[in-house]
Amino acid sequence: MLTDTHTHLYSEAFQEDRDAMMERAIGAGVKRFFIPAIDSTYTEAMYTLEQNHPETVFLMMGLHPTSVKEDVAAELRHVEAQFQKRRFYAVGEIGIDLYWDTSTLELQKKAFRHQIQLAKKYKLPIVIHCREAFDEIFEVLETEKDDDLFGIFHCFTGTLKQAHQAISYNMKLGIGGVVTFKNGKVDTFLNQIDLKHIVLETDAPYLAPAPHRGKRNESGYLSLICKKVAALYQCSEAEVAAVTTANSKEVFGI
């Protein structure tokens, strides 16, 4: 059994074939889908997805750093209101993204810290989005680290040193399609990290693994990521599937 710890199945990219795409994923061994939030405009689509697939879909709630704008206070109120209504399995995806906009850095930091504290309040993991912001992310995590801080460093693309630093904050490393890229770099050192620190993800519809790079990603391609990881660790795909699914259960509590 494979677990996709990060997939945007509610995305408009799947409007035409969502159910068929999910059936393909289940046929490829993916039995659990963890769904990160972006902002309030997607909340209803997430709830509808869960209603249609209650056995396999597990929701997170949070404000994505690229959605941190002038209305950040209202968006964070929306996030908190959802937590007061129902159960979620993580606060995510949250973090800092300096690829698209550096002018909102201070706002992004505040929103990140605020949501880490929300996760601690509800005893939940965080799922971190980091793009060109390792130093900034680590700066916040350093001040928030304690026994209640844990989660997943989604789409990990850093160095071996940064991997160890992320793990030191009780984070699993989310490994996705980048591990199959010729210039992805993470494949050059991943097997130096114990498999107990790894979870698998697609980030569908983004970051499709080879040989689908540049096309729409889907959760069924998680089997290609599993295959690559198994080759790097020189173990069976069944072992990678079992260990990474067990790791996902440790993080999400289900």
Side-chain angles (χ1 to χ4, degrees):
M1 179 173 72
L2 287 163
T3 299
D4 191 345
T5 60
H6 200 107
T7 177
H8 299 270
L9 295 179
Y10 53 83
S11 167
E12 297 92 335
F14 302 120
Q15 205 62 47
E16 303 300 318
D17 65 342
R18 184 172 289 108
D19 289 343
M21 180 270 298
M22 291 181 71
E23 284 303 315
R24 286 195 293 275
I26 290 166
V30 187
K31 302 293 196 286
R32 290 146 46 88
F33 306 89
F34 286 85
I35 313 297
I38 295 175
D39 57 36
S40 61
T41 64
Y42 289 97
T43 303
E44 286 311 311
M46 290 174 66
Y47 290 162
T48 300
L49 177 73
E50 180 191 50
Q51 285 161 10
N52 292 337
H53 304 275
E55 302 298 315
T56 54
V57 162
F58 306 92
L59 302 185
M60 312 177 201
M61 179 52 58
L63 180 62
H64 192 291
T66 61
S67 291
V68 172
K69 306 267 192 319
E70 299 76 22
D71 62 348
V72 60
E75 282 288 340
L76 290 173
R77 282 196 298 273
H78 172 80
V79 168
E80 293 192 40
Q82 304 317 300
F83 276 102
Q84 288 163 10
K85 287 180 190 172
R86 50 156 295 157
R87 181 184 183 186
F88 293 93
Y89 294 93
V91 179
E93 64 189 280
I94 65 175
I96 300 173
D97 188 312
L98 299 180
Y99 177 79
W100 296 107
D101 188 354
T102 57
S103 71
T104 58
L105 173 58
E106 290 309 314
L107 271 184
Q108 288 188 53
K109 276 190 191 171
K110 283 181 185 171
F112 184 32
R113 191 182 303 280
H114 181 87
Q115 291 180 98
I116 290 172
Q117 290 165 359
L118 187 66
K120 290 179 179 181
K121 175 182 174 182
Y122 287 98
K123 301 282 192 269
L124 289 172
I126 60 171
V127 172
I128 297 172
H129 172 106
C130 172
R131 195 164 184 195
E132 298 192 1
F134 276 102
D135 290 346
E136 292 79 5
I137 291 274
F138 288 149
E139 179 190 324
V140 174
L141 293 180
E142 185 62 32
T143 62
E144 290 293 334
K145 67 176 180 183
D146 58 24
D147 291 343
D148 294 326
L149 179 70
F150 69 108
I152 295 172
F153 215 106
H154 147 64
C155 189
F156 183 80
T157 55
T159 63
L160 179 60
K161 183 181 177 185
Q162 288 167 331
H164 285 307
Q165 190 165 355
I167 291 165
S168 77
Y169 298 121
N170 294 325
M171 298 294 144
K172 305 288 187 196
L173 306 182
I175 302 301
V178 173
V179 78
T180 70
F181 296 175
K182 282 197 172 96
N183 58 352
K185 294 180 184 167
V186 70
D187 61 311
T188 63
F189 64 78
L190 190 63
N191 64 1
Q192 296 177 52
I193 293 162
D194 195 305
L195 204 52
K196 71 183 181 183
H197 298 304
I198 304 296
V199 293
L200 302 184
E201 61 168 66
T202 59
D203 201 19
Y206 315 107
L207 289 173
H212 306 287
R213 187 174 183 182
K215 298 174 183 168
R216 185 190 76 169
N217 198 5
E218 53 181 76
S219 281
Y221 296 162
L222 196 68
S223 58
L224 298 170
I225 295 162
C226 178
K227 185 175 184 178
K228 177 66 175 183
V229 170
L232 292 173
Y233 281 90
Q234 296 185 313
C235 66
S236 68
E237 291 170 52
E239 183 181 348
V240 172
V243 173
T244 56
T245 284
N247 294 344
S248 75
K249 290 177 178 179
E250 182 189 331
V251 173
F252 293 118
I254 188 169

